[in-house]
């Protein structure tokens, strides 16, 4: 068979060409990454720790939105329940740290599972658990489409929210503090700049995974499933498992972001699971540009900066966010990235 | 190979097919004919399970296709080139072809050999192709699944004469290679010389079935309006 069958099939050719660093799109993308990387470095040199943490917050939220963008933008699955994975990732980090701090086991029967304060263990657990949860939720939800899919994903996330709210062992609605930030070998995660760099690496990795996935045969099939699933089916490929796989990967990325978010704030609470957060992630994806690789990053920068700058001036900053969203939906359908970098081949 | 017996198909409450009979034997090229609105496309949609038939039977190589989802029908060995130029506009030519590839004779190289224009435009977005090239791409995409029965619905409709000729010569080439084909098309002058059998639909029923030589003027006038 053709050796291209499973490998990268996006061409070095004309319109599908990846961004070169010196064209408009490439410059915008590099600019966004440089902004995100250099701002906290400058803040470090000037000694403003607050701004380093702000950059970490942008990075982690962007990463969660990268996950959601894979579902909404590339897969056409409008999930209104990605807070479930974000929150689950956060709770994995929080609960694990809680037991490690207490020297109590998370579970002693049938198998003993101790808590752990190692980020590597926590990340792995968060990714696996989010993948399993998304497999179950996706397997059911993906039998529906349109507004039913939106509602059913929302319903599952709300179930998680109320469950966490009423589970007193882990703080219930008060949440659970993480007294000591979880650790990584060789580096001091308590250093804000180090933690930022960890988050930044996570964001880059999740974007690289998305990009590579969408250039593969799988990505082309996912695009086909989004555009016209009967046309894909008449070629002998069932759209369902392809969507489900993309949904699971999307949840894993958002879940990992949730674990980082818990460590960033040193605190978890059911708010991470609430539908408000699902909505915010959607707003970020739409603001940045649906189905654009750098859209979630652009959206997260805009969202968090508005929240910080306008939120400092007025309690009603979301009014301005709403107006901006309205403008994007009405006048710039491809979001900030579409406006800054021009249209992309899949638009 | 494919035997469609007495199928009845509905769009909601309105009945579109009232008993279509159709058969394609291995290696045959069968023409499905009839005026507009007589049920040709609906018959094809029923075969592929897109608008499932409510009664009758559809068998392919002794396998019952009714009630199977579309992708299983395609996996059973049927390849569809749908009406209109149905490729995926936002994917490159190569992506359009490679995604549906299955094991067998047809590979990217062979499709590009059949339609050299596609080889030239390998990396272009399908949306930038001309109508004829998109049609070639749709045929290529169906061939990539290595179907034992290829179904072409109006593959040459609305295309420039020069492109039509290219597509017809590709269809003739496929027939010489022994590809079983079910084809809906209005250009009788191209279709009849290569068809092994013709089936004519009128108001959702099979009204005539026979060899193209037997298709005399009376039948043409009555059912095809030419």
């Amino acid at each position: 068979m053709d050796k291209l069958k499973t490998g990268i099939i996006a061409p070095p050719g004309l319109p599908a060409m990846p961004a070169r660093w010196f064209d408009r799109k490439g410059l915008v993308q590099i600019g966004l990454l440089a902004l995100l990387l250099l701002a906290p470095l400058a803040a470090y040199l000037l000694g403003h720790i607050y701004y380093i943490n702000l950059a970490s917050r942008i990075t982690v939220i962007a990463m969660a939105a990268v996950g959601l963008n894979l579902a909404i933008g590339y897969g056409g699955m409008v999930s209104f329940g990605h807070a479930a994975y974000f929150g689950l990732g956060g709770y994995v980090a929080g609960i694990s740290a809680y037991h490690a701090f207490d020297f109590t086991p998370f579970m002693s029967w049938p198998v003993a599972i101790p808590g752990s304060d190692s980020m590597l263990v926590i990340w792995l657990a968060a990714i696996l658990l989010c993948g399993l949860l998304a497999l179950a939720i996706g397997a059911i939800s993906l039998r529906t489409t349109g507004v039913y899919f939106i509602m059913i994903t929302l319903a599952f996330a709300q179930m998680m929210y109320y469950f966490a709210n009423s589970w007193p062992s882990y703080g219930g609605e008060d949440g659970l503090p993480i007294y000591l930030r979880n650790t990584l070998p060789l580096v001091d995660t308590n250093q804000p700049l180090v933690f930022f760099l960890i988050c930044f690496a996570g964001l880059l990795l999740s974007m690289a995974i998305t990009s590579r996935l969408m250039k593969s045969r799988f990505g082309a099939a996912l695009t086909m499933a989004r555009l016209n699933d009967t046309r894909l089916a008449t070629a002998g490929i069932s759209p369902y498992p392809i969507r489900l796989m993309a949904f699971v990967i999307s949840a894993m990325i958002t879940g990992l972001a949730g674990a980082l978010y818990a460590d960033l704030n040193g605190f978890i609470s059911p708010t991470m699971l609430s539908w408000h957060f699902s909505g915010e992630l959607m707003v970020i994806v739409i603001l940045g540009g649906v189905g654009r690789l750098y859209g979630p990053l652009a959206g997260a920068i805009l969202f968090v900066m508005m929240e910080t700058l306008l939120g400092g001036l007025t309690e009603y900053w979301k009014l301005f966010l709403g107006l901006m969203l309205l403008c994007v939906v009405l006048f710039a359908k491809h979001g900030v990235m579409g406006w800054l970098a021009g249209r992309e081949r899949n638009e | 190979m494919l035997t469609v017996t007495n199928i009845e198909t509905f769009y909601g409450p309105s009945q579109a097919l009232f008993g279509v009979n159709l058969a394609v034997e291995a290696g045959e090229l069968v023409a499905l004919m009839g005026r507009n609105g007589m049920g040709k496309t609906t018959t094809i949609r029923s075969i592929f399970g897109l608008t499932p038939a409510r009664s009758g039977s559809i068998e392919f190589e002794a396998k019952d296709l009714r009630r199977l989802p579309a992708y299983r029908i395609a996996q059973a060995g049927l390849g569809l080139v749908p009406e209109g130029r149905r490729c995926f506009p936002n994917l490159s030519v190569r992506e359009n072809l490679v995604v549906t590839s299955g094991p067998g004779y047809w590979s990217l190289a062979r499709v590009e050999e059949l339609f050299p224009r596609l080889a030239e435009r390998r990396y272009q977005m399908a949306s930038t192709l001309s109508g004829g090239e998109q049609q070639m791409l749709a045929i290529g995409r169906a061939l990539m699944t290595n179907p034992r029965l290829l179904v072409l619905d109006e593959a040459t409709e609305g295309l420039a004469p020069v492109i039509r000729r290219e597509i017809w010569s590709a269809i003739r080439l496929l027939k010489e290679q022994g590809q079983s084909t079910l084809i809906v098309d209005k250009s009788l002058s191209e279709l009849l010389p290569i068809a092994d059998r013709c089936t004519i639909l009128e108001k959702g029923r099979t009204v005539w079935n026979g060899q193209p030589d037997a298709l005399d003027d009376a039948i043409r006038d009555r059912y095809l309006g030419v």
Side-chain angles (χ1 to χ4, degrees):
Chain A
M1 209 48 228
D2 199 272
K3 69 178 174 200
L4 291 162
K5 195 175 162 189
T6 49
I8 296 288
I9 58 173
L14 298 164
M17 183 167 53
R20 284 176 299 200
W21 68 269
F22 52 83
D23 66 14
R24 179 173 159 203
K25 186 175 140 199
L27 284 177
V28 168
Q29 293 179 345
I30 287 191
L32 282 175
L33 282 181
L35 181 69
L36 185 62
L37 186 60
L38 295 181
L41 286 177
Y44 176 76
L45 293 176
L46 298 171
H48 293 298
I49 287 177
Y50 170 79
Y51 290 106
I52 304 179
N53 287 332
L54 188 67
S56 300
R57 184 175 152 78
I58 290 175
T59 311
V60 171
I61 288 179
M63 186 175 162
V66 167
L68 183 63
N69 192 30
L70 182 59
I72 294 188
Y74 295 105
M77 300 171 279
V78 183
S79 166
F80 197 8
H82 259 50
Y85 315 110
F86 191 75
L88 179 62
Y91 267 81
V92 167
I95 291 173
S96 182
Y98 168 79
H99 286 290
F101 189 74
D102 263 11
F103 297 105
T104 50
F106 170 66
M107 241 164 84
S108 49
W109 190 91
V111 281
I113 301 181
S116 168
D117 65 352
S118 160
M119 282 190 185
L120 292 175
V121 173
I122 287 168
W123 293 345
L124 191 68
I127 289 172
L128 285 178
L129 287 172
C130 285
L132 285 175
L133 181 69
L135 193 65
I137 292 179
I140 298 167
S141 311
L142 284 171
R143 297 185 180 279
T144 65
T145 51
V147 76
Y148 301 101
F149 180 81
I150 299 176
M151 286 299 125
I152 199 166
T153 49
L154 172 65
F156 277 115
Q158 286 302 94
M159 277 166 61
M160 298 274 297
Y161 171 76
Y162 285 110
F163 182 73
N165 237 330
S166 54
W167 198 10
S169 337
Y170 298 117
E173 62 181 322
D174 296 331
L176 193 67
I178 301 173
Y179 294 111
L180 296 172
R181 190 170 275 174
N182 294 306
T183 60
L184 264 187
L186 303 179
V187 295
D188 179 8
T189 54
N190 280 311
Q191 292 290 329
L193 191 64
V194 170
F195 189 73
F196 165 77
L197 290 172
I198 294 168
C199 298
F200 190 72
L203 174 67
L204 286 186
L205 182 70
S206 64
M207 285 166 67
I209 288 172
T210 305
S211 161
R212 196 172 166 89
L213 207 60
M214 290 317 294
K215 283 179 187 157
S216 71
R217 190 172 179 242
F218 173 84
L222 184 64
T223 306
M224 289 186 177
R226 183 186 80 224
L227 296 173
N228 190 326
D229 51 359
T230 49
R231 215 177 291 170
L232 182 63
T234 55
I237 298 175
S238 169
Y240 179 76
I242 290 170
R243 288 211 180 99
L244 184 57
M245 180 54 93
F247 190 75
V248 166
I249 296 171
S250 148
M252 286 171 156
I253 294 173
T254 303
L256 181 57
L260 288 169
Y261 193 76
D263 262 322
L264 171 65
N265 293 338
F267 178 69
I268 52 167
S269 78
T271 329
M272 284 178 79
L273 290 158
S274 79
W275 68 271
H276 297 100
F277 188 74
S278 296
E280 283 177 9
L281 276 187
M282 276 169 94
V283 167
I284 288 168
V285 168
I286 294 167
L287 271 183
V290 176
R292 301 291 298 245
L293 186 60
Y294 283 73
L297 175 55
I301 292 176
L302 196 62
F303 184 90
V304 176
M305 292 317 286
M306 281 184 77
E307 182 187 54
T308 310
L309 298 176
L310 291 176
L313 298 175
T314 163
E315 213 180 308
Y316 305 109
W317 70 276
K318 281 196 176 166
L319 174 68
F320 298 98
L321 180 72
L323 286 174
M324 190 172 245
L325 192 63
L326 204 63
C327 289
V328 164
V329 172
L330 288 177
F331 307 115
K333 284 186 184 129
H334 306 293
V336 175
M337 279 308 286
W339 176 57
L340 287 177
R343 286 189 163 204
E344 210 162 49
R345 66 170 188 131
N346 62 352
E347 287 165 1
Chain B
M1 189 177 208
L2 176 75
T3 316
V4 174
T5 317
N6 228 353
I7 54 166
E8 296 190 14
T9 302
F10 295 72
Y11 287 107
S14 62
Q15 189 164 5
L17 300 184
F18 296 84
V20 169
N21 292 289
L22 178 70
V24 186
E25 299 304 327
E28 267 189 340
L29 189 146
V30 173
L32 182 60
M33 302 190 296
R35 282 193 289 258
N36 282 339
M38 291 306 166
K40 303 182 297 289
T41 296
T42 307
T43 303
I44 286 171
R45 289 185 62 86
S46 298
I47 294 171
F48 277 87
L50 302 174
T51 311
R54 257 189 226 176
S55 66
S57 83
I58 303 170
E59 281 186 13
F60 181 69
E61 294 177 338
K63 189 173 183 180
D64 185 11
L65 294 189
R66 272 189 66 203
R67 289 184 246 285
L68 285 184
Y71 72 93
R72 294 280 303 278
I73 293 171
Q75 284 170 359
L78 279 85
L80 175 64
V81 180
E83 200 180 4
R85 292 144 208 162
R86 304 285 165 81
C87 24
F88 291 94
N90 314 340
L91 295 172
S92 71
V93 169
R94 176 169 280 216
E95 282 172 317
N96 262 283
L97 291 173
V98 171
V99 170
T100 60
S101 66
Y105 175 84
W106 289 103
S107 61
L108 196 61
R110 289 228 162 91
V111 168
E112 289 182 346
E113 199 182 317
L114 182 68
F115 295 120
R117 283 161 179 271
L118 294 184
E120 291 162 23
R121 287 161 175 65
R122 198 176 287 169
Y123 299 125
Q124 269 176 243
M125 292 294 104
S127 56
T128 65
L129 301 184
S130 72
E133 288 159 354
Q134 291 188 18
Q135 190 63 62
M136 291 174 186
L137 181 57
I139 297 174
R141 193 164 48 103
L143 287 174
M144 287 294 279
T145 65
N146 282 288
R148 289 191 292 288
L149 176 63
L150 181 67
V151 180
L152 296 158
D153 192 358
E154 304 276 17
T156 63
E157 194 187 28
L159 298 179
V162 55
I163 303 281
R164 279 177 176 225
R165 275 198 292 280
E166 264 183 68
I167 288 180
W168 278 112
S169 68
I171 293 171
R172 278 192 293 272
L173 196 72
L174 291 172
K175 180 174 159 57
E176 279 163 28
Q177 292 177 357
Q179 172 73 56
S180 319
T181 310
L182 175 64
I183 179 164
V184 172
D185 211 285
K186 290 204 181 70
S187 49
L188 301 183
S189 56
E190 297 280 4
L191 185 53
L192 292 179
I194 55 169
D196 295 299
R197 247 160 356 93
C198 304
T199 296
I200 299 180
L201 301 186
E202 169 89 354
K203 295 184 178 162
R205 283 189 185 82
T206 301
V207 289
W208 195 84
N209 197 340
Q211 311 232 316
D213 324 342
L215 192 66
D216 55 30
D217 287 346
I219 297 168
R220 287 193 189 206
D221 282 347
R222 182 155 172 212
Y223 296 123
L224 305 176
V226 285

